[in-house]
Amino acid sequence: MFDGARLHLKHLILWAVPLAGLACGGDGGTDVVLPPLTISTVTEGVETDPDGYSVSIDGQPGQAIGLNTTLTVDQIAAGEHTVELSGIAGNCAVAGPNPQTVSVTPGATATSAFMITCASAAGSIQIVTTTSAAGGGQLDPDGYGISIDGQAAQPIGLNATLTVEGIADGPHTVTLSGIAGNCGVVGQNPQSVSVSGSTAGLSFEVICSSGTGSIQVATTTSGAGTDPDGFSLLLDGTDRGAIGLNAASSLTGITAGPHSIGLTGLAGNCQISGENPRAVSVTVGGTAQVAFAVSCAAPGTFTGNLHIATVTTGPSQDANGYLISVDGGPGQPIGTSATVTLSNVTAVQHTVELQGLAPNCGVTGSNPLGVAVQPGETAQVSFAVTCAATTGSLRITINGLPAGTNAAVTVAGPNSFSRPVTATSTIPNLAPGTYAVSAGNVTAGATTYTASVSSSTVPVAAGANPTVTVSYTPPTPPTLNLRIQDLYLTQSTQTLTSSVPLVSGRAGFLRVFVVANEANTVKPTVRVRLRNGSSPVVERTISAPGSSTPRTVQEGTLGSSWNLPVEAALIRSGLSIEATVDPGGVIPESNEGDNGSTKAPDVRSVPTARIRFVSVQQGSSAAGNVSDPGRLVALARRMHPLNAVDVDVRAGVFTASQPLQADGGGWDQVLGDLDALRVADPDGANRIYFGIAGLSYGRSDGIVGIAFPGLPSATTALGWDNTDDAGRVVAHELGHIWGRRHSPCGSPPDLDALYPHPDGSIGTVGVDVATTTLKPAASPDIMSYCFQNPWISDYTYRGVMDFRQAHPNAVLAASAQPSLLIWGRVVNGRPVLEPAFEIVTRPSLPSRPGPYS
């Protein structure tokens, strides 16, 4: 079961002695830069200010600033400054102080930030009705109606609450209608109310009665003039007969409840003091008292002036203004917010009506209005008009594009409306309806920005200003990164650091280890460029071996590396290998700068290995089979650092002087006889002699090989001719001849104490280039006694190469001549010499002195 060197037992003595005689530096100026000030706005909420704001510094003229904008103010002196934001819509408010005080200091940037919150500009009106009966009166059976600003009435119960939403900010008129004849409103009807972004409230009290009462009306007339035909009474809008200048009239059978009563038919020079008509409440069986004081001017003092003003608020105001009618006369034009003064107006009570209002506009309060013109004075009448929106607007906010880059946004809507939008803006005067917002991608420089629309369709109502945001995003930077972690060129064994030298002129196998920083499905190619001095660059492309790129180096599988056979002619001294992953930049990466790696392997020339096989015969057994010397040396060729191998077979059969026994008997003697034969042959001193014998036992029974190890010149080995194992024995014994001791696997003798890998394994992944198969790192080293699929380690490979380069098998310079062969061995420390005899050969002396002479 054993094979290997026997140096620890015996040393060969074999001499053929000739009978004829024995820094850098510099300076520069400093620019003075006044410290800048940055002013920012952040606007939140709904119905934000459509036209932005104005910002003023130290009371200077304002500069425009957007809703969510940062404004940089350069060239501002150091010190304290005030910053004020103005132009804020009524439904918006600044949180915190305004103006703000900021301190500007050299070398720093002062900041002033305003937070603005906007509430809805629309509110609501809550109307409450309370109805009671007096004297057993019957309540209104069908309830009432509520009309706001003259619009269509909405139903409301007798004792109910109605909230009307979506009322624009500003003054409004609310009228209770549909009141039964026996019922009346206590107090004003209609009523005025002002809305400001919240809920405004008002109430109507209604009293219904089945009984009657009376009203006693008295008139007193004074002044230098007179009304010749007296006056008329007007009850609840109905003429109830004449009444004198200074008289009393009783109206009976009046339904109990609230009523209105007034005087009509006044001459132009007469006017009533106080309200006309007036509210009056009639109780069952009672008499309500009403007194009117009338003043009549003398002739010639009957005129004055009437000053009429309009104040219009709200959007979509009437473009052509209104008409003013006095006492039902023809209308006179007046602007939407304007004044008209009428001269020489008779100094009496007049009614002034505002006419010609657009359907979306209404007067807040009474229309017409009563006004008394005093002689020689100017009476004032004012109409407050509120207009509701008839169109809406749409705000397009664009984010994400570089400054100065136009967006590609289109807004389309009713009536074939279409409008391109290239920057953040508001589209005004849109007819109510649904609008579509689309956006295309934009390319700026070498970057294409992808558009995303917050809402592709948006309803636009009258007075509304919805916002659609179009966000542009650049391509997401790739996170994948590919790089070449390692590469090496091997001829049988190699490390990731390429510490194993290569044999010049021998074919190899290149492995490139590409790794990725994350899981992936990319399959990059690898470009390889082989350079050697002035020779043309050889370029090859390696396709990806799998469906993805591994994240770590996995040396143990061929499918995890990019592999390339390299022919023998390319492997010479001076070789450099450059590998680049994804050379065309097809795969997007986060770092394109680490895709290459270059190595310059250590390539050495090695001497020719000259081996002569000798067929050895023991007694009557068959001679050793040396018919196929290539088979015997094939494994050694694939794993050892060899290039040229000169193999031949010695003619004839060498007869062993002793039989080869399983316990080692005869092996030393036959090995010595073979070595003597090597020396005796005229050209044997320049060759390794390897005897091949047939054995009668198996490898598990005893020794199957032996060699003289570590001698500086060609020497001798002996092994069996077993078809399945002879090549391994040849490779093992050649290792001994080239200076290698045993590796620690299988308990061999004469261990190499410096062997680096545990359990005699090869330690690194080997490659059989001839068959393109991998040898696992746990495979046993060829110099061990573990026989199952051995390979050569990087340590053994380097040791063999170093030995062979240090001791090349050079042809001996001396010519064949008569010589004395002195030979023998050392046994247990004492020399044993065989008989010396004269031969004709190339003489050789010991390579170093020894203790014997």
Side-chain angles (χ1 to χ4, degrees):
M1 63 180 291
F2 303 106
D3 58 4
R6 305 288 290 196
L7 182 60
H8 62 293
L9 298 178
K10 297 179 175 65
H11 294 271
L12 179 69
I13 302 172
L14 186 60
W15 302 330
V17 185
L19 294 180
L22 303 170
C24 76
D27 55 49
T30 300
D31 292 334
V32 178
V33 179
L34 290 178
L37 168 65
T38 61
I39 304 166
S40 62
T41 58
V42 177
T43 303
E44 297 177 343
V46 296
E47 298 190 21
T48 55
D49 200 324
D51 57 359
Y53 316 117
S54 176
V55 65
S56 173
I57 300 172
D58 297 333
Q60 299 298 315
Q63 302 181 53
I65 187 169
L67 304 186
N68 295 280
T69 309
T70 296
L71 175 67
T72 299
V73 182
D74 294 319
Q75 305 299 326
I76 183 170
E80 298 288 333
H81 297 272
T82 59
V83 181
E84 183 175 9
L85 194 69
S86 59
I88 303 163
N91 64 305
C92 302
V94 176
N98 181 27
Q100 298 180 11
T101 300
V102 295
S103 180
V104 176
T105 58
T109 300
T111 60
S112 177
F114 292 92
M115 172 71 75
I116 302 97
T117 302
C118 298
S120 172
S124 60
I125 300 177
Q126 186 180 73
I127 303 106
V128 178
T129 60
T130 58
T131 305
S132 61
Q138 184 179 359
L139 300 182
D140 197 324
D142 58 358
Y144 315 120
I146 288 293
S147 175
I148 298 176
D149 296 332
Q151 302 296 318
Q154 304 181 50
I156 187 171
L158 304 183
N159 295 280
T161 300
L162 173 66
T163 300
V164 182
E165 303 285 351
I167 305 299
D169 286 358
H172 297 276
T173 301
V174 181
T175 304
L176 187 69
S177 59
I179 304 167
N182 67 313
C183 302
V185 176
V186 178
Q188 291 186 346
N189 182 29
Q191 296 185 38
S192 297
V193 66
S194 181
V195 175
S196 179
S198 60
T199 300
L202 55 85
S203 63
F204 290 96
E205 181 184 2
V206 181
I207 297 177
C208 299
S209 175
S210 62
T212 63
S214 61
I215 302 174
Q216 181 74 36
V217 182
T219 61
T220 57
T221 305
S222 62
T226 186
D227 189 330
D229 56 0
F231 317 120
S232 295
L233 287 174
L234 190 68
L235 177 64
D236 296 329
T238 301
D239 189 353
R240 295 299 296 268
I243 188 171
L245 301 183
N246 294 280
S249 178
S250 181
L251 304 178
T252 60
I254 307 301
T255 303
H259 296 274
S260 66
I261 191 164
L263 295 182
T264 62
L266 277 74
N269 62 315
C270 297
Q271 60 182 10
I272 298 173
S273 176
E275 293 184 357
N276 183 36
R278 298 177 186 176
V280 62
S281 180
V282 176
T283 61
V284 176
T287 299
Q289 302 291 330
V290 179
F292 290 98
V294 182
S295 176
C296 295
T301 58
F302 296 160
T303 62
N305 300 319
L306 180 58
H307 183 83
I308 305 168
T310 60
V311 177
T312 304
T313 59
S316 303
Q317 297 181 11
D318 202 323
N320 57 1
Y322 316 119
L323 295 174
I324 287 294
S325 171
V326 179
D327 298 330
Q332 304 180 52
I334 187 172
T336 54
S337 291
T339 60
V340 170
T341 300
L342 304 179
S343 302
N344 297 317
V345 177
T346 304
V348 294
Q349 184 77 18
H350 296 278
T351 58
V352 181
E353 184 178 9
L354 190 65
Q355 301 174 341
L357 280 74
N360 64 305
C361 300
V363 174
T364 301
S366 299
N367 183 29
L369 291 174
V371 59
V373 177
Q374 299 295 335
E377 297 182 3
T378 299
Q380 306 283 339
V381 172
S382 178
F383 292 93
V385 181
T386 301
C387 296
T390 60
T391 63
S393 60
L394 180 59
R395 177 78 170 173
I396 306 296
T397 301
I398 297 173
N399 298 322
L401 288 177
T405 302
N406 288 339
V409 178
T410 301
V411 177
N415 305 319
S416 301
F417 176 87
S418 180
R419 176 81 57 86
V421 179
T422 60
T424 297
S425 58
T426 297
I427 305 175
N429 302 322
L430 294 178
T434 299
Y435 288 78
V437 181
S438 60
N441 296 342
V442 171
T443 299
T447 303
T448 297
Y449 293 81
T450 301
S452 174
V453 182
S454 63
S455 179
S456 59
T457 59
V458 56
V460 176
N465 181 32
T467 297
V468 173
T469 299
V470 179
S471 298
Y472 281 91
T473 56
T476 303
T479 58
L480 176 69
N481 188 50
L482 304 174
R483 61 188 177 88
I484 295 177
Q485 178 71 31
D486 289 292
L487 66 86
Y488 62 65
L489 182 60
T490 181
Q491 292 169 325
S492 65
T493 184
Q494 190 56 272
T495 65
L496 289 173
T497 59
S498 296
S499 61
V500 178
L502 302 174
V503 173
S504 179
R506 174 175 168 174
F509 190 74
L510 177 66
R511 300 190 72 188
V512 180
F513 297 95
V514 179
V515 297
N517 65 327
E518 60 186 30
N520 63 88
T521 57
V522 299
K523 299 182 288 184
T525 61
V526 170
R527 183 188 64 205
V528 175
R529 288 174 173 168
L530 304 170
R531 292 182 171 86
N532 197 304
S534 60
S535 301
V537 175
V538 175
E539 183 171 301
R540 306 277 167 79
T541 298
I542 309 175
S543 299
S547 60
S548 63
T549 299
R551 300 181 66 179
T552 59
V553 172
Q554 301 171 26
E555 195 180 358
T557 60
L558 280 174
S560 297
S561 60
W562 278 245
N563 309 311
L564 178 70
V566 179
E567 53 267 41
L570 297 176
I571 303 178
R572 310 191 300 276
S573 178
L575 173 67
S576 70
I577 304 170
E578 173 195 291
T580 304
V581 60
D582 189 29
V586 175
I587 300 171
E589 294 185 62
S590 60
N591 182 5
E592 298 284 358
D594 60 352
N595 286 21
S597 180
T598 301
K599 278 193 176 179
D602 180 10
V603 182
R604 304 179 186 178
S605 296
V606 296
T608 300
R610 296 179 173 85
I611 303 172
R612 175 166 291 166
F613 289 103
V614 179
S615 176
V616 177
Q617 184 172 24
Q618 307 171 72
S620 61
S621 64
N625 182 6
V626 294
S627 61
D628 189 359
R631 176 183 63 83
L632 294 173
V633 81
L635 184 62
R637 276 180 178 270
R638 300 206 307 273
M639 70 171 59
H640 281 302
L642 303 176
N643 188 3
V645 180
D646 181 0
V647 180
D648 65 7
V649 177
R650 189 178 187 277
V653 175
F654 178 76
T655 302
S657 60
Q658 297 182 23
L660 301 176
Q661 301 176 17
D663 62 359
W667 281 86
D668 290 335
Q669 183 62 53
V670 175
L671 184 65
D673 295 344
L674 278 172
D675 204 52
L677 177 66
R678 178 185 66 82
V679 174
D681 282 347
D683 61 346
N686 197 33
R687 286 185 179 272
I688 296 171
Y689 269 45
F690 207 116
I692 300 296
L695 299 180
S696 61
Y697 56 87
R699 184 174 66 187
S700 61
D701 300 321
I703 190 169
V704 295
I706 192 172
F708 289 129
L711 299 182
S713 59
T715 185
T716 309
L718 175 62
W720 70 339
D721 65 353
N722 179 274
T723 301
D724 297 327
D725 194 48
R728 181 197 65 81
V729 172
V730 169
H732 180 100
E733 303 307 338
L734 286 175
H736 283 313
I737 289 174
W738 290 326
R740 296 293 91 205
R741 294 188 174 192
H742 285 127
S743 302
C745 184
S747 302
D750 193 29
L751 287 176
D752 185 343
L754 300 179
Y755 192 83
H757 304 305
D759 302 324
S761 65
I762 63 176
T764 59
V765 176
V767 179
D768 187 342
V769 175
T771 61
T772 318
T773 55
L774 298 183
K775 303 295 182 179
S779 302
D781 184 61
I782 188 62
M783 298 311 297
S784 73
Y785 271 13
C786 295
F787 309 130
Q788 191 66 32
N789 297 320
W791 197 249
I792 192 168
S793 67
D794 59 317
Y795 174 80
T796 299
Y797 187 99
R798 281 193 297 266
V800 170
M801 176 171 276
D802 292 344
F803 184 92
R804 295 197 68 233
Q805 286 191 306
H807 308 291
N809 294 326
V811 177
L812 298 179
S815 59
Q817 56 185 289
S819 303
L820 178 65
L821 179 64
I822 303 171
W823 62 308
R825 62 195 52 80
V826 176
V827 179
N828 296 326
R830 301 185 62 186
V832 177
L833 295 180
E834 301 287 354
F837 54 88
E838 180 182 351
I839 59 174
V840 177
T841 188
R842 303 177 189 276
S844 62
L845 293 175
S847 60
R848 60 184 182 274
Y852 302 99
S853 60

